[in-house]
Amino acid sequence: MLSQIKDIAAPLAPRLIEIRRHLHSNPELSGQEYKTAAYVAGVLSSCGLHVQELVGKTGAIATLPGTGEDSRLLAIRTDMDGLPIQERTGLDYASQLPGIMHACGHDVHTTIGLGTAMILAQLAVQQGGLPGSIRFLFQPAEETAQGASWMIRDGAMAGVSAILGVHTFPTIPGGSIGIRYGALTAAADDLELIITGESGHGARPHEAIDAIWIAAQVITTLQQAISRTHNPLRPVVLTVGQIQGGRAPNVIADQVRMLGTVRSLHPETSAALPAWIEKIVASVCQMYGAKYQLNYRRGVPSVQNDLALTQLTESAAAEAWGNDRVQILPEPSLGAEDFSLYLDHAPGTMFRLGVAFEDQPNYPLHHPQFQVNEVAILTGVVTMAYAAYKYWFHR
Ligand code: NI
């Protein structure tokens, strides 16, 4: 079946590059992917798939019905949004929209979703149907970690038995696949902390409650406590990225506001973090007579790749491209990915698609010069289509 899939995919490659370049030239910001979704719906309809538009606000869903021999429903998720970045690649198909760029490869992901749908639709015709049904999820607003929850709210995961996803990766050679067992990305939460003391003369600290000094104590105690009270094999990163307070050099500040991000990999660690942070903040503030307000907002959980489905994608990639083009990734990323929200509804796995060039510089994701080695598109669609095919013969 792999050779049939490759035979269908090879002649589609120029069309897929054309699709990817169209998407790249026309990026849209999170939650505004109207033209992208309409374009996606057009391509899907032209391969005979039934498309539901405006699912998850600006997303789309298409279904390839199976013969019913297998009652399971497989979902394939790709994301569609660009970033508020001014592109500086100099490519002739660079973004036509000032200040908006596909700098995270979501143009490639969308293309892989479309290419996989084209291949499997043709394969279904050749085979007289695939055993079970496949639902293609084209998700908006991944960069703002909103889109997955919008899709789920609109029923995208209803009846889904398993879900597959993909993300480009610029440190893996173009055309290779990265497979990660267990945690792929981190849980990412937002922190806002307001510490309130009492203002006073800068020369008479004993008559005031210095919110800046107490804020410094809170930050220092949190960073020290991470190293002493958390299992070092279950990492936590707490970054205060923004802090404001005070009005004059000789006036003790009565209030400090800080904003931060909290990352962790282990679900139990993640669950315990808000109470742990509050305990430290409360203790330090109480010790020095300050008040505090802590707003801890859950972002997205960690992506935990399912063992059996990860084995499935690894074997699909290895059969398709050989073991030397499959890397087992030893480490997760402390980046975040809202693919994790789907995993509350069904097991899933996300693989990494190498997009690095051998003969030109490679820039990181979210960089204004980020570029994709387009050989990866064929690798991505064949791997995804073959993994989806193998799913029906894998329990
Ligand atoms: Ni991304």
Side-chain angles (χ1 to χ4, degrees):
M1 197 50 57
L2 178 59
S3 61
Q4 275 103 315
I5 289 174
K6 282 188 164 178
D7 288 348
I8 297 170
L12 285 175
R15 169 78 178 125
L16 294 176
I17 288 175
E18 195 184 304
I19 289 173
R20 186 257 156 169
R21 292 184 177 189
H22 170 83
L23 294 168
H24 192 82
S25 302
N26 298 280
E28 290 175 294
L29 290 175
S30 307
Q32 297 169 30
E33 303 88 340
Y34 294 101
K35 288 181 190 158
T36 306
Y39 178 81
V40 161
V43 174
L44 292 166
S45 304
S46 73
C47 15
L49 271 76
H50 172 70
V51 187
Q52 283 169 265
E53 292 184 68
L54 301 175
V55 177
K57 218 172 147 184
T58 45
I61 283 180
T63 306
L64 179 63
T67 59
E69 195 185 317
D70 191 321
S71 61
R72 293 176 301 166
L73 171 62
L74 177 67
I76 293 175
R77 175 276 203 170
T78 49
D79 47 10
M80 305 190 291
D81 51 331
L83 283 158
I85 292 176
Q86 178 63 45
E87 179 160 350
R88 290 198 285 114
T89 59
L91 292 166
D92 55 6
Y93 58 88
S95 171
Q96 293 169 1
L97 292 127
I100 309 179
M101 176 187 177
H102 269 297
C104 196
H106 298 193
D107 49 345
V108 174
H109 308 164
T110 304
T111 305
I112 290 174
L114 292 172
T116 305
M118 290 175 187
I119 292 169
L120 292 174
Q122 279 192 43
L123 189 70
V125 171
Q126 286 180 10
Q127 300 290 309
L130 296 173
S133 301
I134 303 183
R135 183 182 289 163
F136 296 91
L137 273 54
F138 291 87
Q139 181 202 307
E142 194 285 325
E143 295 293 354
T144 54
Q146 294 170 296
S149 57
W150 294 343
M151 295 290 284
I152 293 163
R153 191 188 57 203
D154 283 0
M157 287 300 281
V160 170
S161 317
I163 183 162
L164 305 179
V166 58
H167 204 295
T168 53
F169 215 53
T171 57
I172 297 175
S176 286
I177 300 284
I179 297 287
R180 170 72 193 161
Y181 284 90
L184 177 76
T185 60
D189 301 328
D190 295 324
L191 183 78
E192 181 194 29
L193 175 61
I194 298 164
I195 293 175
T196 305
E198 213 171 298
S199 200
H201 196 295
R204 301 184 62 78
H206 56 291
E207 293 172 358
I209 298 172
D210 185 349
I212 287 183
W213 171 68
I214 296 167
Q217 297 295 316
V218 166
I219 293 170
T220 305
T221 308
L222 284 167
Q223 298 302 356
Q224 289 172 342
I226 283 172
S227 91
R228 298 293 87 187
T229 66
H230 278 296
N231 180 345
L233 296 174
R234 294 182 177 177
V236 174
V237 173
L238 189 158
T239 294
V240 174
Q242 198 180 339
I243 184 161
Q244 289 162 304
R247 279 181 293 274
N250 59 350
V251 177
I252 288 172
D254 61 348
Q255 198 167 72
V256 168
R257 176 173 180 258
M258 53 181 115
L259 300 172
T261 181
V262 185
R263 308 282 167 126
S264 61
L265 286 174
H266 197 276
E268 278 170 34
T269 304
S270 171
L273 278 170
W276 178 83
I277 290 170
E278 176 139 28
K279 194 171 121 188
I280 288 168
V281 170
S283 308
V284 174
C285 287
Q286 193 214 3
M287 189 158 33
Y288 300 118
K291 294 190 177 68
Y292 72 91
Q293 190 191 330
L294 176 64
N295 300 316
Y296 193 94
R297 276 182 299 272
R298 285 287 185 198
V300 293
S302 166
V303 169
Q304 299 284 329
N305 279 341
D306 176 75
L307 175 65
L309 292 166
T310 307
Q311 285 167 337
L312 173 80
T313 49
E314 183 193 347
S315 67
E319 283 175 53
W321 312 111
N323 282 324
D324 55 344
R325 279 172 65 183
V326 179
Q327 294 185 8
I328 304 298
L329 303 174
E331 289 168 0
S333 152
L334 286 173
E337 166 59 73
D338 75 358
F339 183 70
S340 56
L341 296 173
Y342 298 110
L343 305 181
D344 289 340
H345 301 266
T349 193
M350 173 176 269
F351 66 86
R352 293 207 183 277
L353 178 64
V355 293
F357 296 90
E358 266 177 46
D359 54 352
Q360 67 178 69
N362 292 292
Y363 295 94
L365 296 169
H366 295 209
H367 190 285
Q369 286 165 280
F370 170 70
Q371 281 190 47
V372 161
N373 185 338
E374 289 177 327
V375 301
I377 294 173
L378 187 65
T379 317
V381 289
V382 169
T383 305
M384 189 65 98
Y386 189 44
Y389 178 78
K390 280 169 74 80
Y391 175 71
W392 307 115
F393 307 96
H394 179 99
R395 274 182 188 271

